[in-house]
Structure formats: structure tokens, C-alpha cells
Amino acid sequence: GDRIDKSIDLYNYRIEGTNGLTHNVVAYNEETNTATIRMLGCGGSKLNGKKVSVHVQSFLSKKQHFDKFDTGIRVEDILQAEEMVQLDMNNIPGGGGDLFDSLRSEGFIDILMPDQLNIPLNKMEFVNVSNIGIIDGRLHVQLRWHQKENGKKNIDDHGFLYLVDSLGNEFSPTTVYFGMENAEKSKYGNEYQEYIFDVDTKKLSDYKFYGDDFTSAAYYLEGNWQTTFKIKAVKDSKQVSCDLDLGGVKIKSVSVSPIGITLLGQAAESMKDVGAEQEDIQISIPSIVDFSQSYSTISNYEKNEVIIKYIPFKPLDVDVIKTININGIAVDFK
């Protein structure tokens, strides 16, 4: 039917025997409403020759997405909050930001009284600003995430508010999620989200409010899909030795297989330095135009040995790959 579209996002899923699982849509057929999804899990080498089950319990689709936009909120009009609610920081589903740990250690904090305002954001119907004010010298902005028409709770609606000053500097908030039992008492839940900005509230006119990555899924389906099959290691591969100094990372060998390219080498310093250097490593295959859209990951082992993997959106034809360019340097496979 029409359950699936190109925005499909698996919610509860797993591959037995793996961890660090991720996924993304690599193809979508609009005529048949069929999505092809790539799953990536760590620990695959232990599964060679074994039967493995893949499970999917739920997924989201029909997503709306709103990237960076000016909220239009007039920051200079924000006043000291007069009515507040106490929030038990040990009875919330979560939050984050620089102040989160210190706020949680306080036990109870003051937040804005919900639903004193109803300011829309970028014409989005799934969220609105329900209050704005200053509490204890900090700027608070409260969002209310709306329930779906079918009465189901929001599963993964989310977004991010931040401030930008006149020089273009960005300021991120601390956030907390909560629900409301009645007009004046909070409870565990995620219907509301309070953003807390630790900025100079006497200079609010210097800031503008922006939003980014606001996403809502209209469709959430639960089920119990699964399949079991035997996993076999990739055998069709090529490997060549080399000596490339990429500025902090020395590559000793390069291999290519249907599921991607692997660089084996040694890092000059710590894992942090390796991660920074990886951003400067550009891989391209002359015979494959869109390989730059691949996924990459990095691992660090003893003695600063590193493995950098580049995994394409679809399996590679190893036979047609004769050369791989690494930062413009050609590595030839014979």
C-alpha cells in the first residue's frame, strides 16, 4: 500500500550478533513503493558462516523536514517570567547540553508555565512555541510537540533551536523534556521541551532565533518482521601495498571488495588526531562517479594502527576497478 515512502526510517530493529547498528535508505522505487535499506553493524567478522536473524519491530515514514530557518521570534520583547512550574529533574525522559548535569544535581528547577503563548514556527503544524521568558538570568523557550490526529504520542518528532548574534556566532541551549499532569504540575513525558540559553539577557536584541532539523513523521507502524540467513565473508577482493603519507596517517595498504574500500595504516598520534585527519582523506574511483556519497568509519587499535573503511551505497563491481585515487594520488590494482 502507501505505508512506505522515501523518508522511511527504521525505529526498532536489530541484527543479531552486532552492535553500533545504523541504517539508511539507498534507493526508492516510487512505482512500487519499495525502499532498499542498507544496515551497518559492528562485529560482523564474528558472524562469518553463521545464521543471523534480522528483526524489524517498527518504522516511521511520511516525514516532514525543515532545515535552517529564521523563527521570526522577537528576542528583545522577551520579559521576566512571572508564572513558573517546578520540574523534577529526576523524573524526565532526558535532555542535554552544557548545563544539564548541574541542573539535574539541583533536583528541582523552575520552568515556564506551559501554553501561555501559541507562536507557530515556520508554518509547522506539529510544534509551536508555548512560552518564552527569563528565569534566574537565563533565557527559556518552551516548545509543545503536538499529538497526532489518531491520538498516538509523538514517536520521534524533534528539532533544534539556537541563537545567532550580530557577528554570526551560534549559541546552543541546554534542553529538558517533560509532560504536564495538569495546568500547574509537571510529570514524566516528552510533550514539552524547554530550551535554556545561558546568555546575557540584557543584550537580547543582539540575537536572532533560528531553527534547524525540525522533523515529524506522520506514519508509525509496528509489526514483527524478521528473516534469517547465513552470512558469508566477501571473497572477491583486491589488495595492494603502498606507502602514502597523508599528514598524520600513513597508509600501508589498500583493499577493495564489493562492500567497500579499506585503508590500513598507522596514526602518528591519538585517536582524536586520527579522526581529525580522516576528514581530509578524499577517496574517489574513476569508474564510479558517485562514490563520494559513501559512508566512512574509522577504528583504532594498539600501537596506533588504524583501519578506515569507505562503504558505498550499493555493492561495487571489483572487476571494473583498476585505480583508486586517495587525495589525488593514484593507487593502481594489477
Side-chain angles (χ1 to χ4, degrees):
D2 62 352
R3 302 177 302 172
I4 293 172
D5 67 357
K6 62 183 178 181
S7 72
I8 184 173
D9 184 11
L10 302 184
Y11 192 67
N12 288 313
Y13 67 103
R14 73 183 191 276
I15 300 177
E16 293 179 355
T18 69
N19 55 67
L21 195 60
T22 63
H23 76 282
N24 64 299
V25 178
V26 298
Y28 179 72
N29 187 320
E30 294 184 358
E31 293 183 358
T32 62
N33 290 341
T34 303
T36 302
I37 298 172
R38 178 184 64 185
M39 296 184 185
L40 298 174
C42 297
S45 59
K46 296 180 294 184
L47 304 177
N48 184 29
K50 297 182 179 180
K51 286 187 177 181
V52 175
S53 293
V54 177
H55 303 262
V56 176
Q57 285 84 37
S58 60
F59 66 83
L60 302 155
S61 62
K62 314 293 183 183
K63 282 192 173 186
Q64 293 177 289
H65 189 79
F66 299 83
D67 286 321
K68 187 174 293 187
F69 60 91
D70 188 338
T71 65
I73 298 173
R74 290 174 54 86
V75 183
E76 60 266 32
D77 293 339
I78 298 172
L79 303 175
Q80 180 72 33
E82 296 183 356
E83 294 185 282
M84 293 169 284
V85 175
Q86 276 212 320
L87 178 65
D88 182 355
M89 288 294 290
N90 293 310
N91 189 35
I92 61 173
D98 293 341
L99 299 174
F100 185 79
D101 289 340
S102 63
L103 292 176
R104 171 161 277 182
S105 67
E106 295 179 20
F108 288 84
I109 66 169
D110 288 328
I111 58 173
L112 299 167
M113 178 72 72
D115 302 321
Q116 302 303 294
L117 299 172
N118 185 6
I119 302 174
L121 286 176
N122 206 32
K123 299 181 179 180
M124 292 182 287
E125 297 180 353
F126 56 89
V127 65
N128 68 278
V129 177
S130 55
N131 206 349
I132 305 176
I134 298 171
I135 300 177
D136 296 331
R138 294 179 178 135
L139 173 61
H140 287 235
V141 182
Q142 187 183 97
L143 298 186
R144 180 172 184 172
W145 299 94
H146 300 171
Q147 287 192 336
K148 309 301 182 187
E149 292 182 359
N150 57 12
K152 290 186 177 181
K153 294 182 179 180
N154 297 322
I155 301 300
D156 192 36
D157 288 6
H158 60 269
F160 183 71
L161 288 179
Y162 60 100
L163 291 173
V164 179
D165 66 13
S166 56
L167 298 176
N169 299 310
E170 297 182 0
F171 299 85
S172 299
T174 292
T175 65
V176 292
Y177 287 90
F178 64 96
M180 291 298 295
E181 183 173 327
N182 53 51
E184 298 181 354
K185 185 176 181 181
S186 66
K187 66 175 183 178
Y188 186 93
N190 61 359
E191 182 182 356
Y192 294 88
Q193 183 179 11
E194 190 120 344
Y195 291 77
I196 304 171
F197 293 90
D198 194 14
V199 295
D200 188 349
T201 55
K202 296 179 181 179
K203 298 180 179 180
L204 292 182
S205 59
D206 292 342
Y207 301 98
K208 281 190 175 183
F209 263 115
Y210 283 86
D212 195 18
D213 192 30
F214 274 78
T215 304
S216 177
Y219 201 100
Y220 176 71
L221 186 68
E222 295 178 316
N224 187 26
W225 301 276
Q226 68 178 53
T227 185
T228 301
F229 51 88
K230 182 179 287 188
I231 288 184
K232 295 182 180 180
V234 172
K235 295 182 179 179
D236 185 12
S237 63
K238 298 177 181 179
Q239 183 169 352
V240 63
S241 298
C242 62
D243 188 12
L244 300 179
D245 189 342
L246 303 180
V249 178
K250 292 185 177 180
I251 303 302
K252 298 299 182 182
S253 70
V254 180
S255 61
V256 59
S257 77
I259 60 173
I261 296 172
T262 302
L263 310 184
L264 299 176
Q266 196 165 34
E269 299 181 18
S270 67
M271 175 67 179
K272 180 178 179 181
D273 294 325
V274 173
E277 293 294 343
Q278 185 197 6
E279 297 178 1
D280 297 326
I281 300 177
Q282 303 296 322
I283 301 291
S284 64
I285 306 175
S287 56
I288 301 177
V289 177
D290 62 351
F291 183 75
S292 60
Q293 314 241 338
S294 65
Y295 171 91
S296 64
T297 183
I298 188 167
S299 301
N300 193 54
Y301 295 91
E302 295 180 1
K303 300 179 181 179
N304 289 336
E305 293 180 353
V306 291
I307 301 176
I308 305 174
K309 296 178 180 287
Y310 293 83
I311 305 169
F313 278 163
K314 59 184 180 180
L316 300 173
D317 186 347
V318 176
D319 290 336
V320 304
I321 298 176
K322 307 300 181 184
T323 301
I324 294 176
N325 293 323
I326 304 176
N327 285 6
I329 303 172
V331 176
D332 297 322
F333 291 86
K334 296 180 180 181

